[in-house]
Every structure is written in C-alpha cells, then in structure tokens.
Amino acid sequence: MSRTVCRHFLCAVTLVAGVLAGRYTQSVSAGPTAATASVRFAVIGDSGTGATEQYDVAAAMAASRGRLPFEFVIMLGDNVYGGWSRKAVADKFERPYKPLLDAGVQFYASLGNHDASEERSYGGFHMNEQRYYRFTRSNVDFFALDSNYMDGSQLAWLEQQLQASRASWKIAFFHHPLYSSGERHGSEKDLRHVLEPILIRYGVQVVFSGHDHVYERVKPQHGISYFVCGSSGELRRGNLDKRSDLTAAGFDQDRTFMLIDVADDTLQFQAISRTNQVVDAGQITGTPRVSPSASP
Amino acid sequence: MFIKRMRLIVLPSAIAMAILLSTRVVASKGATPMDTVTVALFQDRIAEYVNMRRQCAQSLTLRGVDPDASDPATFRQALAASIRLARRHARPGDIFYSAIAPRILQLVRSELAAREPEERRAIFAEVPRVLVLRVNDRYPAGEPIATMPPALLLLLPPLPPELQYRFLGRTLILLDVDASLVVDVLPYSLPRYP
C-alpha cells in the first residue's frame, strides 16, 4: 500500500516539476536538412544479429549520409548477439558498418541484456571500459547508461554528471525503454521509478532506447521525448500494441534506424526503414536550460 | 444448520484473508535495511575477493597477458582461469555467508512479493530458467543476462564494480563481471515462477 502511495506521490511531483520546467514542445514537421552546422548522428538498436537485414539497414544508413552526413552513431544495446568473439564482432559490427567506419563515423554503444562485458573494452564502441559514460558534441551532452544494472553508483554518477552539464541539449540513451507499447516487453516501470525523476529534474530532453524490436515515438512524458528504436537488426513484426495511449507514431513492419540533427534549439528526427522509406519525421524545439546547480 | 455452514465458510476465509494481509504487510516491511554488522562482515568477504582478484590480474600482466590487447576475451579468459585456480576450494556460502544469506533471501522475496503480479511476471520473464551454475562456473557465452530490478538493487548491500548480483533460474548469483565467473550462489532466492 505504502509503495503505491509513494509512487503516486512521486509521479505527481515529477509531473509538476515537468510542467514548471516547461522546457519545450514537440511538433511534427519536415525532417532533418543539412543546411546549418549542427550535431548529426544516427541511432540504431538491437542491431547485432549478423543477418541480411542488419546489412540492409547498414547499407541504408550509408546511403542516407548523402542527405545528412552524420558523424557518429549511438547504439541502444544488443549490439552483438550470441556472445563475444572476434568472428562475432566482425560479422555483426565491423562488416555491416564497414562503409561507415571507413568514412570515419564513430559508434558509441550502450549495453543490452544480450551484450557481453567484453564490449566495454572494444575500441569500436568507444566505451573506454565503462558501463556508463558521457560524451559531448557541441551543445549536446550524451549520457550512455547501463539499464541492465541500474545500481546506486550509476544513479549517483548520472545525477552528478547531469548537474555538472551546461549543454543546451541533454540526451540519454540506454537499452530498456521507460515507455514502450511493444507487446513483448513494454514499459520498464521499475527502471522508470528510479530513473525518470532524475531525468526530469536535470532537464534531459530526449531519451532513446531499444529492447522492444519496433520503432515507436512515444508521446512526450513529463516533458521528455522518448523514442524506442529496437529494430535495426531484430524485428517483431506487428508487435506494437495498437490500443496503446503512449504511441505518437510507430512502425513495426520492417527494420528501422534514426537520423538526428540538432541545431541550436531544434532537434529534427527521421525514422527510416530498411528500404529507405521515411516512416516518421518531426522536430523537437527546446529552450536551452541549465541544470540546477545544487540539490535541494 | 445454516449458521454452522456459514461459519465453516466464512471463518477459514477470514483467517486466510488475515494471513494474506499480514504477509503483505510483512512483505512491505521486509525491505528494511540490514543490520550493519552483518553487512560489514559480508563486505569484508567481498573486499577479500576483490583483493585476491587484483592479485590474479597483476600476476597475469607480469606474465605478459595484456588487458588492453585487441581481443578483450583473451585477458578475461585468463583472469577467469587464474581466479578459479586461486579459489579452487571455494564453496557456496563463502561470501553469502550464514548470517547474510537469510537476510538477502528474505529481502529479495519480500521486495518481490510487494510488487504487482504484472511487474513480477516482467521480472521473471527475463530470467534464464534452465541454467544451473555452480561456484567457479563461467556464465555461458551468448546467454542473455537477466536485468536486475533497480528498486531491489538499491536495497541490497552495494558491491564494487567488479561484482554484480544477477538472477539465474531461481538462484541469486554473485557474478564477476569481467571474468564472467560465478563467485557465489544463493539458491531458491526467487519464488516459483508465476
């Protein structure tokens, strides 16, 4: 009973905090363009199958660089299925993304439940031995988290890093979605309970996750835009719950990846299918916001 | 006659309801912090393990096994072999020792019991069911690792980065992350699957 009351109280507090923050609105319009200098990246999740479809998505990503020359890719976990070996990483990462790697595109990984700990040491994933880490591009701070094991140390680290961040945009990415209409897994409520208050408090604007093998843009929750992009290799066709109130847009008929372009106060996004069809596009407009300097 | 029959139905139902409610209260109350002495002794054992592990890693480096080699698996396999040799006499309960084991067991069970059935099902759904691992076994390559419920993690005694709690079947294991080695086991931590 007390647990339920606590949760409701927490939800109410976070909702009020989100409304008071009033940081941005989400609107759907045209997708990214390459007109201004900006932070451009791609997003893939649950990619490392080594199957033909992963190679198709990789080829579509390489082709899309002509339209939007992204500089790096964030990986939402399940980067190499089936255990770690030199052959596995070659078949499931190095070969499919060779055109991108050869072009100097860098990959930043987060860990999924199918990923081996060896991935932290693999240079191609830029994790520097860490389960969770932060990196910065221009006015954007990225927080890669390990949602498999969200212990006190990681939560404390995240809070400290977010508090120190002075970036206009704060983007978090990790494997398990706080909100999802995937019927296989759905929303990770336990994770949401511990993580969401921190994301709200420190003004994280966008969160990318995988785990459910679909694409979904979730309606903004407490002022945060959530995307599920877990179909860049795996796919659970027809797995989006059509009755879900969470979905702003979704696609569960083929593999997808995302392209993101952040310039000043606007983040433009596209979700693109394996066959190069744009299945969702829009923009998020945010007012640059500085983290609170001290904990209350 | 009717009253007697009603008593037969209502009384056991009331008792069952009372037990159920009291179990739920105990379950909610179960997630209380453990006493500091018990936890301190547990953490002494953890520190002892981490120290031994550090020595294993140092001896590998001295023998030219490079932790920064291009294939991270080589060093980790060597580390696992070295730890296994150093702990060849290790037994279940060496780290989850007699005083901490029932406390952890009670904490895990009560924390899970306090959840909604839907949440419990979601947690259990991700736990690999068929595996039985013993102390010093390596976690099987390619097998997914069950996500630990964060709220539960925050109640368990904290661990250094080298070690993690994980569920495997109904067992709570202490896992050496880099060596993928089972350091200790606490069987029947999870209740039966719903």
Side-chain angles (χ1 to χ4, degrees):
Chain A
M1 181 63 130
S2 58
R3 187 187 177 89
T4 312
V5 171
C6 279
R7 282 189 181 181
H8 287 167
F9 177 71
L10 195 68
C11 280
V13 168
T14 49
L15 180 63
V16 169
V19 170
L20 287 176
R23 331 185 259 285
Y24 64 91
T25 56
Q26 182 170 19
S27 61
V28 176
S29 61
T33 57
T36 55
S38 56
V39 178
R40 296 162 182 153
F41 60 98
V43 183
I44 56 175
D46 304 71
S47 53
T49 61
T52 311
E53 293 83 359
Q54 181 193 3
Y55 283 69
D56 292 343
V57 170
M61 289 169 73
S64 72
R65 282 198 84 223
R67 299 196 305 276
L68 188 87
F70 58 87
E71 295 151 15
F72 62 96
V73 179
I74 60 172
M75 304 175 79
L76 309 178
D78 290 358
N79 313 306
V80 179
Y81 283 97
W84 178 268
S85 68
R86 276 305 310 163
K87 183 178 181 325
V89 78
D91 290 347
K92 298 167 184 177
F93 176 69
E94 291 166 355
R95 264 203 286 279
Y97 305 114
K98 188 173 188 306
L100 296 173
L101 292 164
D102 287 349
V105 173
Q106 296 189 320
F107 287 71
Y108 294 87
S110 59
L111 295 174
N113 55 316
H114 286 270
D115 289 317
S117 68
E118 281 89 342
E119 292 186 25
R120 289 190 285 120
S121 311
Y122 174 61
F125 288 165
H126 292 94
M127 299 183 77
N128 296 318
E129 299 278 350
Q130 304 302 314
R131 292 198 294 125
Y132 43 89
Y133 59 99
R134 165 187 169 187
F135 67 96
T136 304
R137 287 286 182 280
S138 185
N139 62 336
V140 188
D141 269 351
F142 292 87
F143 302 87
L145 306 180
D146 178 7
S147 57
N148 297 294
Y149 201 80
M150 190 58 68
D151 56 354
S153 311
Q154 185 174 187
L155 289 168
W157 173 88
L158 178 63
E159 188 148 13
Q160 183 197 24
Q161 292 294 316
L162 282 169
Q163 195 170 322
S165 172
R166 292 292 173 268
S168 309
W169 287 90
K170 299 175 188 71
I171 294 175
F173 64 102
F174 46 87
H175 188 60
H176 298 82
L178 302 194
Y179 296 92
S180 167
S181 304
E183 288 180 326
R184 175 72 177 85
H185 297 297
S187 305
E188 293 284 340
K189 292 177 186 165
D190 204 49
L191 185 65
R192 189 200 298 172
H193 181 62
V194 298
L195 196 54
E196 190 178 48
I198 299 175
L199 302 179
I200 293 170
R201 186 166 160 214
Y202 292 100
V204 170
Q205 293 105 328
V206 184
V207 173
F208 296 100
S209 298
H211 200 42
D212 268 320
H213 298 160
V214 295
Y215 167 77
E216 184 181 18
R217 172 161 54 90
V218 176
K219 290 174 188 166
Q221 302 291 322
H222 309 305
I224 299 175
S225 294
Y226 290 91
F227 293 89
V228 178
C229 183
S231 55
S232 306
E234 287 280 12
L235 174 68
R236 274 194 198 97
R237 201 182 299 274
N239 197 241
L240 269 174
D241 181 357
K242 304 293 182 293
R243 298 158 301 170
S244 170
D245 288 336
L246 290 173
T247 311
F251 183 69
D252 59 4
Q253 295 304 305
D254 201 352
R255 277 79 179 168
T256 52
F257 65 99
M258 293 185 73
L259 292 179
I260 310 293
D261 186 354
V262 188
D264 301 324
D265 65 348
T266 304
L267 180 149
Q268 294 183 295
F269 60 86
Q270 281 188 347
I272 300 171
S273 78
R274 179 166 63 112
T275 53
N276 258 316
Q277 305 298 308
V278 176
V279 297
D280 187 27
Q283 68 177 35
I284 298 163
T285 309
T287 308
R289 181 167 176 262
V290 178
S291 297
S293 55
S295 306
Chain B
M1 185 68 173
F2 174 75
I3 293 171
K4 202 172 179 182
R5 197 173 286 171
M6 281 303 285
R7 269 186 196 158
L8 281 173
I9 296 168
V10 172
L11 200 65
S13 305
I15 291 168
M17 186 62 80
I19 290 170
L20 204 69
L21 287 172
S22 66
T23 309
R24 186 142 181 100
V25 171
V26 170
S28 302
K29 284 180 179 171
T32 50
M34 297 180 199
D35 69 275
T36 49
V37 176
T38 308
V39 173
L41 288 172
F42 172 66
Q43 281 169 338
D44 282 351
R45 287 162 192 251
I46 295 283
E48 203 175 300
Y49 175 84
V50 171
N51 192 34
M52 176 279 303
R53 183 191 190 280
R54 197 167 292 134
Q55 287 170 12
C56 289
Q58 279 168 357
S59 72
L60 285 176
T61 313
L62 289 173
R63 279 159 38 202
V65 185
D66 182 8
D68 300 321
S70 60
D71 185 2
T74 310
F75 180 81
R76 286 160 193 241
Q77 280 163 10
L79 179 63
S82 178
I83 294 170
R84 199 183 279 141
L85 185 66
R87 299 187 76 230
R88 58 192 173 280
H89 301 303
R91 298 173 61 84
D94 280 355
I95 294 178
F96 287 135
Y97 75 106
S98 56
I100 197 92
R103 301 304 307 275
I104 290 180
L105 217 111
Q106 189 242 0
L107 192 146
V108 169
R109 289 186 157 219
S110 59
E111 205 276 342
L112 291 173
R115 289 167 183 265
E116 299 297 326
E118 182 201 343
E119 282 183 63
R120 266 202 305 275
R121 268 195 294 276
I123 291 166
F124 289 3
E126 299 222 341
V127 177
R129 295 187 180 201
V130 291
L131 297 165
V132 178
L133 290 185
R134 292 163 302 182
V135 172
N136 276 342
D137 279 350
R138 286 205 86 191
Y139 197 96
E143 195 66 40
I145 295 185
T147 305
M148 283 299 288
L152 174 60
L153 268 185
L154 295 177
L155 295 173
L156 290 167
L159 294 174
E162 292 87 350
L163 294 171
Q164 291 181 352
Y165 300 103
R166 294 288 185 173
F167 287 121
L168 198 70
R170 293 178 61 193
T171 303
L172 180 74
I173 64 168
L174 198 57
L175 182 71
D176 185 311
V177 184
D178 287 341
S180 289
L181 209 59
V182 177
V183 175
D184 207 350
V185 294
L186 193 51
Y188 307 112
S189 301
L190 283 183
R192 287 198 184 281
Y193 295 103

